[in-house]
Every structure is written in C-alpha cells, then in structure tokens.
Amino acid sequence: MRAVENALDITIPDNARIIRNLITGIQYVQDHVIHFYHLHALDWVDIVSALKADPKKTSSLAQAISDWHNSSTDYFSEVQKKLKTFVESGQLGPFANAYWGHPAYKLPPEANLMAVAHYLEALDWQKDVIKIHAILGSKNPHAQTYLVGGMAVPIDPNSESALNTISIAHMLTLAKKAKEFVEKVYIPDLLAVASFYKEWAQYGEGVGNYLAYGEFPNDNISNTDNLWLPRGVIKNKDLSKVHPVDHEKIMEYVTHSWYEYKEGDSVPKHPWDGETNYKYTGPKPPYEHLNTDGKYSWLKAPRYDDMPMEVGPLARMLVAYASGHKRIQEVINLVLKKLNVGPEALFSTLGRTAARGVETLVTAEMLTVWIEQLIENIKRGDFRVHDGSKWDPSTWPKEAQGYGFHEAPRGALGHWVRIKDRKIANYQCVVPSTWNGSPRDAKGQRGPYESALVGTPVKDPNQPIEILRTIHSFDPCMACAVHVLDAEGKPVTKIRIV
Amino acid sequence: MGHRENDHIDIVGRLLKRGVSRRDFMKFCTAMAATLALPAGFATKIAEALEKARKPSLVWLEFQDCAGDTESFLRANKPTVAEIVLDVLSVDYHETIMAPAGKQAEKSRDDVVKHQKGKYIAVVEGSIPTKDGGIYCCIGGRSALDIVREVCGNALATIAVGACAWDGGWPAADPNPTGAVGVKDAVRGITLINLPGCPMNVENLTATIVHYLTFGTFPATDSHGRPLFAYGERIHDHCERRAHFDAGQFVRQWGDEGHRKGWCLYEMGCKGPETYKNCPVIRWNEGTNWPVGSGHGCIGCAAPRFWDTMTPFYKRLPKVPGFGIESTADKIGAGLAAVTAAGIAVHGIARAVKGKPKEKETTE
Ligand code: SF4
C-alpha cells in the first residue's frame, strides 16, 4: 500500500493515517500479549508445578505486584481446580511432551499458578480488545479496508453505516480495557517472571545491530522525522549514536538461500532490482540434516550497509531510547531499575522479551490519543478517508517506482515496487523474519537467530528449552517459523553440540 | 524430574489389550503421576480418567499458510479457545500454540496418528506444494504432502480451514510456482469438510466441531464439501445493503455520500453476488463487523480460486449472475440511479434498456 502510494506520490487523508495507526497499534498490543502468554511464557512457566501452589500465597503474591481485580484466594483455587481436572483427564493436549519439571524452570509454584491464570485470562481478553481492528478493518484476522490512497471506512457521526459515535465509544471502551490489562497484568507478570531469570540478560545477544523503519506517523508519512516510533539504525550496540536509514543500503544475498541471481550468488541486490529465481539444492525429503555449507534456507539474507540487523520490538525500543523518546526512556529505565540491571542487559534474550512489554505498554497508552485525534478531526467536520485522485490507473505515469516501510509487530517490513504500463513490473518484500531468521551471507556473517544461539548453554541436549527461550524471544513469524525452526534447527543443533 | 512420555493413554490401551493386569496398570498410573510431578493421590485419579472416554484428539497441520486461520481459531467465542483446549477437544498437535517443539512436537503428532487411528480429527491450514517432490514446504525434513497424507489418511475426518487448504488459495494463484493444491487434491478418499475463506471464520469451525460432538456426524455439505449452514446462501441475498442495490443506490467513490450512508458497494467491485458464505449473518469477531459492513466490498474469499476468479477486486462484476429477479433488479437499480443522479442519467438508462450494464467499465 505505502509502496504504491510512494510510487504514485499520494498523500492519504489525516483520518486514514489515524485509522491505520489504530489498527497497527491494537495489533501490537494484542499480538505482543499473545506472544508473551501463549507463545513464549511456557518456556519460563512450568504448568505442572502450578498444581503444587498454595492459592492463598498465590493471592498474596498477585496482590503484592498489582491491583488487578482477579486476585483472591478463591479465584486462584478455582483456576487450580480447573487445571487439576484438566491434568487428571490425562489428555494434556498442546501441553503434552513439553519439558515440565526441567531444572531450567525457576519460578515457585505460586508464580506458575499466577501465570497460568493469566494465560487463560489473556485468551479471553485478546479476542475482545482486537475488536478495534474489526471496527476499523472489517474483521480480524485480515483487515480488508486498506486502499491505495486511504481507507474504505467512511466517517459520519450522523450515519448508522459509518464510523460514528457508537463505534468511537466502543473503541474507547476497548482501548481502556486493553491498557488496563497491560498495566495490571502483563507488565507486573513480565517483571515478576524476569526477576527469576536475570541470567538471561547474558544470553541471546544476537548481532548487536538494530534496524527500525519507524512507525505511527504523527502527520504525513513522508515526514520521516515525525514518526511516533522513530526511524534509525544502531550499530554494534552503541546507543550513543542513531544512524539515519537509507533504503539504498538494503541488499539481499542468496549465497546460502535456495535462489540464484543472474549475475552470480555472491553479489547482493537491492530490492528494486531483486530477483526471485528459486533453485532448490537441498536434499530430497525425507531428510535429517541440511548441509549448511551450501544453500540451506528459503529465506534470503538481507543486510543493511553489509551488516546483519535485528528487527522487532527490541530494535524499535532501542532506537527510540537512543533517540531520546521521553516516554520510552522513562519506561525502559523503570524496568531496568526494577530488575536492577543496566542498559547492557537489553542486548539479550531477556532484553528482547522485556522490550516487547515496554512497547506494548507505551502503544496501549497511545490508543486513546489516536482515537481523540480522530474525534478532533470529526469535530472540525473533516470526514475524508481517501484520496481518489490516482484511483484510476489511467492517471498513472508510464513508469514509477516506490517503497513503503512499516513496522509490523515482529519488526521492520519493507516493500519495493516498480510499476510499468500500469502493471507491477517487480515487487519485492523484505519481511521481519527474513532479517531475524536470515541465513549467512557471502561473507559468512550469521543472521540474528543464529548469532543469538552461539554461547547459549544447554543443560540437556535432549531437552533444549534454552534454545526455545532465545528463538521464541524473537517472536518468529509463525507463518514460516516452524518451517524456519526446523530447517534452521539443524545448524542450531550443531552450534550447540560443537 | 525428567521429560515425560505422554502417550500414556495409548500405552494403557495397548497394555490392557495385551492382558496386562490391573495391578500393573495401577503401577503405571503411579509412575505417570510421578513423571508428571503430581502429588501422591493422583495415581487413582489418573486411573479413573484413563478409563473414562477420551476427548477426541485434534491434530492441526500448518503448511503454506500465514497462520490466519490459527489466529481466527484464537478468537473463538462459542466455545472459547480456552474451553476448546481444556474441555472440548484434546488439541494434541498445533505448531503455533503447543508447548513442545522439534522432536517432542513430532512425537505428539505421531502418537495420535499411530494410536488414535480413525478416531481423531485433522485440521489443515495452508496449501500443499506438490511440485518437485514437495520440496517447497518441508517440516522436520518431511514434505507437507507426505505429512498430510499420513495424518489425514488416518483421521476420522479432516477439516480444511481457509482458502489455501481448500483449493490452494493464493499460493496456487496463477502461475502457481510450487504446484500448490488444497487437501481435496492432495489426499483422496477421506472424509473432508471444507471451510474456505481468507481466513475461515472460527464460528464455522467451532460449529462444525460442536455438530460432530453433539450429533455424532458432520454437518451436511454442498458439492464442494462446504457445510450448508455456512456456505448455503449467497452473501448478496443476506446483505444489509441489498435494499440499496435494489434501489440503485451505489457507492461511486470512497468516502462519498453513498459510502457514508451505507449504500451498495457493487460498483466498487463487491463480489457478494457471486459468493456463498454466511458473513452477513454471523459477521466477525462476535458480530462486531464484516467487510461490507465496514464499507469495503466482499472480495469473494470463499469462492473457488478467488485470486484468479475474483480479481481485479475493484472492478464490478460483469453482470449479476442468476435468473430473472436479479437481472431485473439490476435494471431497475440502474434506472433509479439515473433518476437520482442526474449526471449519469442518460448512460444509466441507455445501459438499462440494452440490458448490458456497464460493459465498457468491466473490460477496461
Ligand atoms: S453487491 Fe455487495 S454490497 Fe451490494 S448488496 Fe450485494 S453483497 Fe451487498
């Protein structure tokens, strides 16, 4: 969308900007909470141990860290009873064959029970708060209201078929609910869990370079200095300097990827000139191992200024922190203080997981701000949601090219488009999990997942929960993660054993 | 405590079949309680539970997918996903939500396939690439084709969720570089329920499962294997904007007066007249909204090969298909629009008379 808008020089109306911010914002909040509780927490929380918890002590623990209403002894007894019935059924479903009882689990039973209770609460919460996405995006998942030039959501306080007072009031209620849970449940849980796992501030560092395109324009997107989450590059963990982003410096290698470039695989290509000629050279399935000396991944290897970059909440928070973003500095400093660690702790598995929490909190705070901006525009009688001046392809130039940047929950996402004779001549996407899950490049430089695993101690090679902690801390895109994990799990295993 | 074995139920079944004594069975249960780190009294409880009827197992496979159907699953509401996971089904394999990974995860899947043969439900999300020996999607070194044949081939029934698992979806869109197909073309001779859509609406999945648990059978389906309760009627026939279609009141530009008033999106490319799905009735996210409700046309995501057949999304359908009544409505619609919108009056009437509404636009 933004790539085409950039190519055709379209400025979307302010209301469309706000609606997009809100859709992305609620996605961050909901997605990050799901990631923490449902995709990552069980690497730290031992469900079975929760059965041994004392509900009374659990209640005291919960009340000591938060004034969330669900915190009575009865409440935790009820949750524990539910869990018992479940375990007694003998069918552990998605929780079977995990690493329960592994010595790497450090939480006391009470903290485990509290986390299990919130695992369940978060499941119910997420399906409610994401309704903001449905109101503005038509449904969730897969919003269907994005248009080149704006949004297909009409605004009219005097119509029952447009964004009106009812839908705005609904969104305000949901935004409040979203923020409350993050403040009173997610953040206290995150801090409580993290305090037992502080050694994870030493592991999982990764490449130490961070790239954020920035997101949430405060006005026109082309004004890249006025994004609520700033744009920038941090190199070698140096927080004293934020480098500007120059998209011309983004190149993709296919040296170790199952593609070939016409001019040879050791020379990287900018996405505008990108080629996607697949060439599988791996073993015929079924296979046990991939040869990591040759090509071994379906992901290309994107590099910025010839360096691998980590993208995602940690990259965004570090860039914001180093750029002097007040609120983010405040929250990060508070988290560091509570955990009694310095900023260097951020470059780690723990830092990555904490940064995601920080981002959720500050984004949840912004939801109402954006809704209020929308209200202000409506007050002024501005109902515009779409710029239709280039809707008809006959108005387009014969040739055009553009790029669009977005910060998806998992990180920097870039699209590059070349348009010729009103048709797409080339389209390349460089997605967050390609940055983070990148294979090696022509110089042999590892991507973030691979680097982050170097030096991670594994107590029991048959139960490598430590590996999961680090890989999950990146929030690998589940659309490809399992595929990535299994394909890349092998080199990972090698690193671990060697 | 070490890592545990969770094919215990099947072990018990097999042991009992092989004539293992009650005493040995209890010994096993005690060992189970110990490996699960459970308090002492749990052995008897496990024994009781093991003798009770099982919850049906569910194996959820993901191939060439975006996890959209999984995300949709998480929005379940009647029952909620927590209820499904804890009380209704035993979700034994689901890559995105399960706790174990790698070999342990594969073990969860293999246990069900081996020991629950013919009794479990398989759900497939994403298409299956068939070209070049299936190399375009391998999980744990096995091709998607290999996995889907094994898992669905041994299941009681398979539910294909989303457009991709149905007929290949967008990975199969022209030129279909990986030879992607849906379950129906990857595994033959199985009981298959298709829930197309991009993504599927979770209410249709939970209803299908609840139907099975309540009545012991799967719901009646059409010739595409799609449940009639969800795909039996046309979007256009239950659309809240239909009165505007009949009255010839169309949105002409995004954000125009008609758009703000909730008029018909036909002219903006709505594919509701050619798409069969219950979106206008159940809507999305517990009834919060749906595409047409929000102001954007239907893109026909539940229709066959929709990336090839329903694009371009913003060009109106050549003519509303169907018999008599629709074409009449279209003509009346065009005529009325001519009356209300002076600027297009002449063309509108001319087209209505010729009965060839706006052919030029559609071929642009
Ligand atoms: S064309 Fe679309 S918007 Fe119009 S009545 Fe039919 S389904 Fe509804």
Side-chain angles (χ1 to χ4, degrees):
Chain A
M1 212 63 68
R2 282 179 176 167
V4 178
E5 285 163 357
N6 175 268
L8 301 174
D9 198 18
I10 298 171
T11 304
I12 61 167
D14 198 50
N15 289 324
R17 167 192 72 84
I18 300 167
I19 292 172
R20 289 182 185 181
N21 281 357
L22 275 165
I23 291 178
T24 305
I26 192 62
Q27 239 172 353
Y28 275 30
V29 173
Q30 185 241 18
D31 213 73
H32 289 352
V33 169
I34 290 185
H35 176 264
F36 180 72
Y37 285 102
H38 309 120
L39 308 180
H40 195 25
L42 300 185
D43 301 337
W44 313 97
V45 171
D46 184 339
I47 294 198
V48 174
S49 146
L51 291 171
K52 288 186 282 195
D54 174 351
K56 193 153 169 265
K57 279 197 207 145
T58 311
S59 163
S60 323
L61 168 70
Q63 287 171 5
I65 62 169
S66 167
D67 59 352
W68 181 242
H69 58 90
N70 280 336
S71 66
S72 68
T73 306
D74 282 355
Y75 172 70
F76 288 112
S77 299
E78 212 30 64
V79 173
Q80 199 180 38
K81 218 169 89 196
K82 212 189 252 180
L83 185 64
K84 259 183 198 153
T85 319
F86 175 69
V87 173
E88 282 170 17
S89 81
Q91 288 182 276
L92 291 190
F95 311 114
N97 291 329
Y99 308 129
W100 315 131
H102 191 291
Y105 282 119
K106 298 253 174 76
L107 298 183
E110 284 72 26
N112 283 317
L113 178 58
M114 183 176 77
V116 169
H118 296 160
Y119 175 106
L120 296 172
E121 280 187 56
L123 270 183
D124 281 344
W125 168 89
Q126 55 89 22
K127 76 176 172 55
D128 281 341
V129 298
I130 201 62
K131 286 175 188 165
I132 291 182
H133 185 283
I135 291 167
L136 300 172
S138 82
K139 70 193 204 306
N140 174 276
H142 296 357
Q144 201 172 303
T145 51
Y146 283 76
L147 301 169
V148 166
M151 298 297 290
V153 187
I155 298 175
D156 189 342
N158 298 314
S159 166
E160 56 183 272
S161 306
L163 209 60
N164 57 20
T165 322
I166 297 178
S167 30
I168 286 172
H170 192 184
M171 288 198 293
L172 282 169
T173 314
L174 295 166
K176 192 170 154 231
K177 183 171 179 166
K179 181 164 156 262
E180 200 187 6
F181 190 84
V182 172
E183 277 173 356
K184 295 190 175 178
V185 185
Y186 177 21
I187 299 300
D189 281 2
L190 177 67
L191 292 172
V193 172
S195 67
F196 285 92
Y197 290 106
K198 283 204 266 184
E199 77 274 18
W200 282 88
Q202 304 160 39
Y203 307 128
E205 175 177 301
V207 293
N209 305 318
Y210 302 89
L211 164 71
Y213 294 146
E215 188 50 275
F216 304 106
N218 292 320
D219 57 23
N220 184 349
I221 181 83
S222 62
N223 187 358
T224 52
D225 293 334
N226 198 12
L227 303 168
W228 174 64
L229 290 183
R231 173 174 294 195
V233 168
I234 289 171
K235 296 179 180 172
N236 301 318
K237 302 189 282 175
D238 179 5
L239 293 180
S240 70
K241 177 137 183 59
V242 179
H243 304 264
V245 173
D246 172 4
H247 87 98
E248 303 274 354
K249 290 186 176 168
I250 295 169
M251 300 276 176
E252 288 190 298
Y253 284 95
V254 293
T255 325
H256 288 281
S257 317
W258 287 312
Y259 304 94
E260 59 183 350
Y261 283 161
K262 284 199 201 89
E263 287 129 52
D265 295 352
S266 51
V267 184
K269 280 186 172 296
H270 182 271
W272 266 336
D273 308 315
E275 297 170 12
T276 310
N277 315 310
Y278 49 92
K279 193 196 181 184
Y280 183 75
T281 53
K284 219 173 136 271
Y287 55 78
E288 273 294 316
H289 293 280
L290 292 167
N291 174 12
T292 54
D293 296 332
K295 292 177 181 274
Y296 63 95
S297 177
W298 284 113
L299 301 179
K300 292 179 181 175
R303 296 293 180 261
Y304 181 85
D305 214 0
D306 227 18
M307 287 188 282
M309 291 280 151
E310 172 172 345
V311 300
L314 176 58
R316 288 192 289 256
M317 292 302 99
L318 288 175
V319 168
Y321 188 80
S323 310
H325 190 296
K326 281 241 159 52
R327 179 62 183 145
I328 289 171
Q329 283 185 336
E330 204 173 87
V331 180
I332 290 184
N333 288 336
L334 194 87
V335 168
L336 294 175
K337 203 172 139 217
K338 286 234 164 157
L339 294 175
N340 197 19
V341 290
E344 67 287 349
L346 291 166
F347 310 112
S348 68
T349 299
L350 190 72
R352 207 168 280 124
T353 298
R356 189 171 291 108
V358 170
E359 179 171 88
T360 314
L361 177 66
V362 294
T363 309
E365 291 168 351
M366 284 303 286
L367 295 173
T368 12
V369 176
W370 290 316
I371 298 172
E372 272 156 16
Q373 288 178 2
L374 199 59
I375 296 171
E376 278 310 308
N377 283 354
I378 297 173
K379 261 194 207 162
R380 282 203 308 271
D382 176 6
F383 301 164
R384 282 185 70 227
V385 288
H386 187 250
D387 175 351
S389 57
K390 302 274 174 59
W391 184 248
D392 184 345
S394 68
T395 60
W396 300 358
K398 207 172 149 15
E399 280 187 42
Q401 61 178 23
Y403 55 86
F405 291 147
H406 170 59
E407 283 289 338
R410 282 165 193 85
L413 167 66
H415 284 197
W416 283 261
V417 65
R418 272 188 204 271
I419 300 170
K420 216 175 165 182
D421 297 328
R422 301 180 211 162
K423 286 198 182 105
I424 295 171
N426 194 9
Y427 203 101
Q428 295 282 327
C429 315
V430 183
V431 308
S433 292
T434 327
W435 285 102
N436 289 339
S438 143
R440 279 169 292 133
D441 55 32
K443 291 182 179 165
Q445 298 184 97
R446 291 192 176 101
Y449 289 179
E450 291 185 13
S451 304
L453 290 172
V454 177
T456 297
V458 176
K459 280 206 182 91
D460 175 356
N462 292 319
Q463 301 187 40
I465 188 170
E466 296 90 345
I467 301 276
L468 290 187
R469 285 179 177 170
T470 293
I471 290 292
H472 284 167
S473 74
F474 283 96
D475 188 5
C477 170
M478 293 314 287
C480 48
V482 175
H483 316 211
V484 172
L485 267 179
D486 277 14
E488 308 230 311
K490 267 79 201 201
V492 159
T493 311
K494 251 167 69 186
I495 292 164
R496 191 189 73 220
I497 293 165
V498 168
Chain B
M1 258 114 337
H3 158 67
R4 56 224 27 100
E5 301 286 300
N6 257 303
D7 55 352
H8 49 276
I9 293 170
D10 314 297
I11 289 172
V12 171
R14 278 181 291 146
L15 290 179
L16 289 178
K17 261 197 219 125
R18 284 193 354 232
V20 171
S21 72
R22 177 84 201 160
R23 198 165 150 269
D24 285 339
F25 174 53
M26 281 315 295
K27 239 164 96 185
F28 167 81
C29 295
T30 314
M32 266 297 308
T35 44
L36 281 169
L38 302 176
F42 270 69
T44 340
K45 288 180 180 154
I46 289 179
E48 279 165 23
L50 292 182
E51 285 161 345
K52 267 191 230 148
R54 293 178 57 97
K55 291 178 280 188
S57 284
L58 185 99
V59 173
W60 184 302
L61 303 173
E62 289 173 81
F63 300 121
Q64 289 176 307
D65 72 304
C66 69
D69 300 289
T70 291
E71 286 287 345
S72 191
F73 177 56
L74 292 179
R75 313 291 178 267
N77 149 52
K78 293 183 290 252
T80 65
V81 70
E83 285 163 345
I84 294 171
V85 169
L86 296 181
D87 310 324
V88 180
L89 293 169
S90 188
V91 184
D92 292 339
Y93 185 83
H94 190 308
E95 287 158 9
T96 306
I97 63 168
M98 70 197 299
K103 293 269 176 245
Q104 288 75 19
E106 285 170 16
K107 178 173 165 19
S108 291
R109 181 189 66 208
D110 296 344
D111 284 349
V112 177
V113 174
K114 259 190 239 147
H115 309 313
Q116 299 292 318
K117 200 170 150 77
K119 286 188 238 158
Y120 63 91
I121 298 171
V123 171
V124 180
E125 169 173 13
S127 53
I128 300 121
T130 56
K131 222 165 127 181
D132 301 328
I135 53 163
Y136 299 104
C137 180
C138 290
I139 297 165
R142 285 178 70 190
S143 70
L145 194 60
D146 184 18
I147 297 171
V148 80
R149 286 195 172 144
E150 188 197 23
V151 173
C152 300
N154 288 299
L156 164 78
T158 298
I159 306 174
V161 294
C164 302
W166 175 38
D167 66 0
W170 76 256
D174 187 47
N176 193 359
T178 66
V181 299
V183 180
K184 66 188 169 73
D185 297 315
V187 206
R188 303 279 177 187
I190 56 170
T191 305
L192 178 63
I193 316 289
N194 288 310
L195 300 179
C198 189
M200 60 104 188
N201 191 329
V202 66
E203 301 220 22
N204 293 331
L205 175 66
T206 46
T208 301
I209 292 169
V210 169
H211 191 287
Y212 171 70
L213 296 175
T214 314
F215 304 112
T217 56
F218 286 98
T221 55
D222 65 7
S223 57
H224 290 293
R226 305 179 298 185
L228 294 174
F229 76 81
Y231 300 85
E233 316 237 0
R234 211 162 52 137
I235 289 195
H236 190 55
D237 294 329
H238 288 282
C239 177
E240 66 231 19
R241 301 191 180 207
R242 178 59 185 266
H244 297 292
F245 175 90
D246 292 345
Q249 293 172 317
F250 298 109
V251 177
R252 309 266 170 195
Q253 271 184 349
W254 303 112
D256 71 5
E257 195 198 353
H259 197 211
R260 296 202 302 273
K261 285 189 166 160
W263 287 4
C264 172
L265 292 155
Y266 180 58
E267 295 282 336
M268 304 309 278
C270 182
K271 304 296 186 283
E274 280 194 354
T275 308
Y276 289 76
K277 183 136 188 255
N278 57 355
C279 291
V281 179
I282 60 167
R283 301 160 72 96
W284 285 79
N285 305 92
E286 298 173 55
T288 305
N289 211 349
W290 69 294
V292 169
S294 70
H296 189 286
C298 162
I299 60 168
C301 72
R305 306 294 310 269
F306 85 99
W307 287 97
D308 293 333
T309 59
M310 293 297 176
T311 46
F313 292 137
Y314 299 103
K315 293 279 184 207
R316 54 165 282 185
L317 290 163
K319 67 180 170 70
V320 177
F323 314 99
I325 180 76
E326 280 82 12
S327 58
T328 315
D330 197 29
K331 282 179 205 166
I332 293 168
L336 281 178
V339 177
T340 50
I344 50 134
V346 178
H347 299 291
I349 289 169
R351 273 195 297 270
V353 170
K354 277 199 224 149
K356 277 190 181 172
K358 288 205 162 182
E359 232 168 39
K360 189 175 151 280
E361 270 183 34
T362 62
T363 50
E364 247 167 33

